[in-house]
Structures are given as structure tokens and as C-alpha cells.
Amino acid sequence: MLVGVSLDDLGLTDQVIERTADVTLSVNVEGETATHVGTSCDRSPPRVERMLSDAHPTSPLRTGRRRGPRVAAAAAAVLLAVTACSSGTPSAPTSPTDSASTRAAVTLPDTPVGDTARWVLRVLAASEAPPVAELERRFAPSFLEQIPVSDLAAVLVQVQEQGSYTPVAVAPPDATTALEMTLATEGGEFVAVQIGLDADGLVETLFFGPGVDPDRPVPSSWPEVEERLGEIDARSSLLVARVGDDGRCTPVDGAPRGRDPDAVLPLASTIKLYVLGAVVEAVEAGDLAWDDTLTLTDDVRSLPSGTLQDEPTGTTVTVREAAAQMIAISDNTATDLLVAAVGREAVEAVQATMGHHDPALNTPLLTTRDLFRVGWGDPALRTAWADGDAAERRVLLDGLPGGVLDVDPAAVVTPAWQDDADWFATAGDLCAAHAWLQEAATTPAGEPVRDVLSANPGFDVDTAAWPYVAFKGGSAPGVMTGTWLAEDAAGDTVVVVVQLAADDPAAVAQPVTMVDVAAGALAVVAGS
């Protein structure tokens, strides 16, 4: 039995369970997200703890509410779900000797969120619901406003009834305010538990979801990579390519390509590679400097992922800081600050420079604020965007209001990419973009680029095989994308691009599956 509320702070692509075997209850919780939906019994293990912030993987575009006394944008939609995973899932034990029930317990961090995790385990080991007063004392008011104490207590009892749990993994190991732990059940299954605390140390996030064996092996051959990719019931494109000295991407022989190789698919936050490219071009032209300051206003304040949206109006960041946040934690507000600094048209133009085969696909360019409005705001905007030509779409964007973004995050659960409310490219386009950025990094104007792109590698990469890894990913309802550029000790470069898109958000894989495909691809190349 699995119960879930998505977490915004672990560096994972946000995941929310919607379709379940038993009961589903929709709720709103401050600071949480509902931009990706899934029903698989796979859940991100600790090795993907650095996935985009969608975190994560991830993030990619996510919705949320600014905390504190500042004006709240909105409460984000999350789902509280009750379901069951059969022992026939990939995470099920294959024999009594490797059963989850035999795993040794890991030590939880001696921190506020670690203490809360220990309390959760005590609750699960009990035979009755915790007292109402205790739940009211431990959970944030914003949480309890959306999930009544009586409902929360009932859910915890349902989880208790599944038997005993042993914590077998925790990520990050030194977590202070947010963590994910993997629990092993008596029946040999795994459960992912995510916990997040607010500034007062109260629980604002609690997720019990399907987990995977933290020791699940990475694919070690192309057939295994293809099999793992084939588990995903979605349109998929996989590119594993070597980058030559001329910057060209050449597919690796024998590597699988997915169901839709070379297809134009939605990108979600991976579009931010092109924003970074436009910043480099502006610095090269002398129109911008990495140490220039950008000022936060409500006209550029977007919804999470990220943290900058939580800062007060008038907060300043440098261009370098904004770029770092845009890539490492997929900060949407930082992205829109940079787009405002260089100009929408500059990002449109740099796509061709960076090797995009058809920049018209993303012209005019949506900012992240624009995407929230067009995709999940007034339905008339989405219809007009879908039906409009480039000129009509530009007029539409020019007419969008500034100020506080008034999009209901509860609406950000259904795919919008089918109506062109996203950004689009092929896997080859994304490989070319990564190669261009690495070349740009050798110039004075692009000096910060390598560090910016490698701050978050997306998962725990084998640094002996790949000392340098650049990463950008993205997720939105029905969309998941991951891109990695890895260099070996000899300086040879490989790019791995995984693109997934589905009409049904539940069909898009959990981030662990996408990460397994990428990790397996790098492992196979390293061993060849």
C-alpha cells in the first residue's frame, strides 16, 4: 500500500502517483508539485538523488507556492494515493537470500529531517494511529489545511497494515531538511519515502511511493539497455553518440535508438541549454557580463522548480549565479531573468547557431511563465497558441500580463505538449547543443560554462570512467528528458540523450528508469 505527496527538494524529477489500484485523493500542499504522473512500481533509488530538480532530474517545470508572508502564487497540486505493487515488479526479490526483508538497516542522519524519519518509522511500527495532537504538532498548517488530520491518520494506519519496514537506503546521507529513504518490507518489496520540512521544522512533504532495490544493477550491455528502455510505455528517442573534434555527433554502433529515433519531441527544461547559449553569445558581444546583476521582480517571478521564486522582490543575483541555478536546480525564475536580460529573440536565434535543425519549432520562444499560462492557465490561451502561426503566437505572448503569476498549480497535471505548449528538438539537436556549449567554454566569454553544466551530473556517475559530466534534464506532465555529455580521462566525449513523451502522464517512466538507461549506456561505452 503506497501513499504519496510529491517532494520538491531532493533533486529528483517530481513524481506523483495518480492512477492507483485502490483509492486516490487529490490535495494541495504548499511548496509541492504535480507536474509528472506515474503508476509504475519503480521509484527513484538513492543513486538518482542528484536528478534534476525537476531535482530533479530533474525539474524541469514544476508548480508551487512561495512561502512566508509574501504574496502566495498558489498551492501546488499533489496527490495522496493508496495502491499496491505486486511481487512481480522488477524490484521484487528473486530468492530468499537477496530478499528485501534480510537487508540491514542503514543509519539515518542525526538532523531534523533524520529525526522526523525516525518518528515516521516509529509510527509505521505502531499498531494504531498517532494521536491527533501529535500530528498537529508535527505537520505544517499548510499541509493539514489540505489533508485533514483524520484523513492523514487513516492513511498512516493503512501503511502500518502492510507489515514491518526496514530502512535500507537514505539520500542524501547528510540531509537536514529533506530526504528520501528506501524501506524494505517483510514481503520483499521496496517503498520510497520522501520527507520535507519547512523553515520551522514542520512536515510539509510526506510521500510513500513505489520503490526499487537500491542495489538494482545498471544495464551492462546494449540488449539490457534496450530492454530497460522498452519498459517505458511512451514515445522514446535514445541517442548515444561520440563527439568528434569537429563537434559532430556520430551515433555509437549497436546502441539502441528507442521507439522514435530522431523524432521531434518535447524538451521541458532542457530548453535551458539554449538559454545558456544565448547568455554566452551576449557576453561575447559585450552586451552582458557574467558579473552583471539581475533584479527579481514579479514580472519575471515564475513557479518552481528552483528557489529564486521564494525570494523577495528586489533580490539581486549575478548572471553567473542565475545561470548556475538555471542548470543545477532548473530554477525557472532564474531562467526567465536570463531570458529577459538577453531578449527572447536572442534565444530564438542561438538555436541555429547551436545546431538545432529547425528553430521555428521554438519561435516565438515561451518563457517558463509563458508556458504555465499557455499550458495550464486560461484554456482559450492554449487553444489560440495551438491554432496560431508564429506571428499570432508572438502577439499572444506580447499580450500576457506581468505581475504575480495567477496560474492554478492544481491544473498542471495534464500534458500540454500536444498543443505545442512546450519546447521541441530531436536528440541530435540536443547532442549538438552540448557540443557547442563545450566549445564555447574554451572562449573567454564561455569560461563558466563547464562548471555550470557539471555542478549536477544527474546521478552518481562513475568518475573513474568519466571524470567530467555535464547534465541537463527536464520534466513536465507527459514529458521527461535527460541529456549527458561525458568525457573520459583521454578527453574523448560521449553524449547520451533520452527523450520520453506520452499523452498519458502515467505512461512516462519514473526517473530511475530513464537514469538506468543513461547510466547503462555510459557503462557500456566505458567498457567497450
Side-chain angles (χ1 to χ4, degrees):
M1 185 165 297
L2 303 157
V3 184
V5 174
S6 71
L7 179 63
D8 189 52
D9 303 310
L10 285 181
L12 295 168
T13 301
D14 33 327
Q15 301 292 317
V16 180
I17 299 173
E18 181 178 64
R19 297 186 309 176
T20 68
D22 299 317
V23 179
T24 300
L25 171 65
S26 297
V27 298
N28 293 327
V29 178
E30 178 179 26
E32 300 314 310
T33 68
T35 64
H36 180 72
V37 183
T39 59
S40 168
C41 288
D42 279 344
R43 181 72 193 173
S44 306
R47 69 165 171 268
V48 299
E49 67 184 75
R50 302 183 72 182
M51 190 62 185
L52 75 105
S53 297
D54 274 27
H56 197 0
T58 216
S59 140
L61 298 174
R62 293 186 295 181
T63 60
R65 187 169 75 179
R66 290 181 279 138
R67 301 182 179 92
R70 297 183 294 278
V71 176
V78 295
L79 297 173
L80 186 64
V82 179
T83 185
C85 291
S86 71
S87 60
T89 65
S91 60
T94 56
S95 70
T97 59
D98 63 2
S99 170
S101 61
T102 65
R103 301 292 180 90
V106 298
T107 301
L108 299 176
D110 188 18
T111 63
V113 74
D115 292 341
T116 301
R118 280 183 282 272
W119 172 80
V120 169
L121 289 171
R122 290 195 298 271
V123 169
L124 298 185
S127 57
E128 59 185 10
V132 168
E134 185 174 7
L135 294 176
E136 291 176 338
R137 178 173 60 84
R138 285 192 174 269
F139 283 80
S142 58
F143 190 107
L144 297 178
E145 286 172 6
Q146 305 300 329
I147 307 176
V149 170
S150 59
D151 290 348
L152 177 58
V155 163
L156 291 173
V157 168
Q158 289 176 326
V159 180
Q160 290 173 351
E161 293 171 350
Q162 302 310 299
S164 64
Y165 299 88
T166 301
V168 295
V170 61
D174 57 351
T176 57
T177 60
L179 62 71
E180 174 167 325
M181 62 179 172
T182 301
L183 306 182
T185 72
E186 289 179 308
E189 296 173 350
F190 296 90
V191 177
V193 181
Q194 295 176 352
I195 302 169
L197 307 182
D198 66 10
D200 297 320
L202 301 177
V203 178
E204 64 175 1
T205 301
L206 181 62
F207 181 103
F208 295 84
V212 298
D213 186 343
D215 297 324
R216 179 183 182 180
V218 170
S220 58
S221 68
W222 289 133
E224 290 179 2
V225 171
E226 185 170 24
E227 180 181 4
R228 199 67 57 87
L229 185 60
E231 295 174 2
I232 306 167
D233 185 18
R235 297 190 66 187
S236 60
S237 179
L238 170 65
L239 177 63
V240 184
R242 296 188 185 276
V243 180
D245 293 338
D246 59 358
R248 294 182 179 274
C249 297
T250 303
V252 172
D253 290 340
R257 299 298 304 274
R259 291 188 176 93
D260 300 276
D262 304 317
V264 172
L265 293 173
L267 304 180
S269 282
T270 314
I271 188 65
K272 294 167 186 178
L273 292 173
Y274 296 101
V275 178
L276 182 61
V279 171
V280 174
E281 291 273 273
V283 174
E284 174 67 26
D287 298 329
L288 197 66
W290 290 103
D291 292 331
D292 285 351
T293 57
L294 308 174
T295 302
L296 177 62
T297 69
D298 282 339
D299 290 338
V300 294
R301 193 190 305 274
S302 188
L303 298 176
S305 55
T307 59
L308 192 54
Q309 77 283 340
D310 293 333
E311 299 301 322
T313 296
T315 296
T316 60
V317 294
T318 66
V319 171
R320 187 188 302 257
E321 290 168 341
Q325 292 180 55
M326 174 179 70
I327 300 298
I329 62 172
S330 208
D331 195 302
N332 291 328
T333 298
T335 302
D336 288 0
L337 272 173
L338 292 171
V339 173
V342 302
R344 189 191 306 269
E345 294 77 7
V347 184
E348 296 165 359
V350 82
Q351 294 177 89
T353 304
M354 296 174 67
H356 195 297
H357 83 286
D358 187 7
L361 291 169
N362 302 313
T363 303
L365 182 87
L366 292 158
T367 64
T368 71
R369 280 173 56 97
D370 294 339
L371 178 60
F372 283 119
R373 285 193 185 279
V374 171
W376 299 282
D378 183 350
L381 286 177
R382 181 162 165 176
T383 299
W385 179 265
D387 294 341
D389 60 22
E392 291 167 333
R393 289 178 175 184
R394 198 174 295 277
V395 170
L396 183 154
L397 295 182
D398 289 343
L400 294 179
V404 174
L405 186 57
D406 58 351
V407 174
D408 179 8
V412 189
V413 292
T414 57
W417 65 269
Q418 304 93 326
D419 290 323
D420 286 352
D422 205 297
W423 306 274
F424 297 85
T426 66
D429 294 334
L430 296 173
C431 185
H434 265 291
W436 186 92
L437 286 167
Q438 291 301 315
E439 181 63 27
T442 66
T443 69
E447 178 272 328
V449 166
R450 279 180 65 85
D451 287 344
V452 165
L453 286 170
S454 62
N456 173 10
F459 63 92
D460 292 333
V461 177
D462 180 359
T463 56
W466 306 106
Y468 175 84
V469 176
F471 166 74
K472 187 70 194 84
S475 71
V479 179
M480 190 178 295
T481 302
T483 67
W484 291 263
L485 178 144
E487 294 177 358
D488 64 18
D492 294 330
T493 302
V494 172
V495 170
V496 177
V497 178
V498 185
Q499 291 178 277
L500 306 170
D503 295 337
D504 178 2
V508 177
Q510 300 282 353
V512 63
T513 310
M514 183 180 74
V515 168
D516 279 353
V517 169
L522 289 175
V524 174
V525 173
S528 62

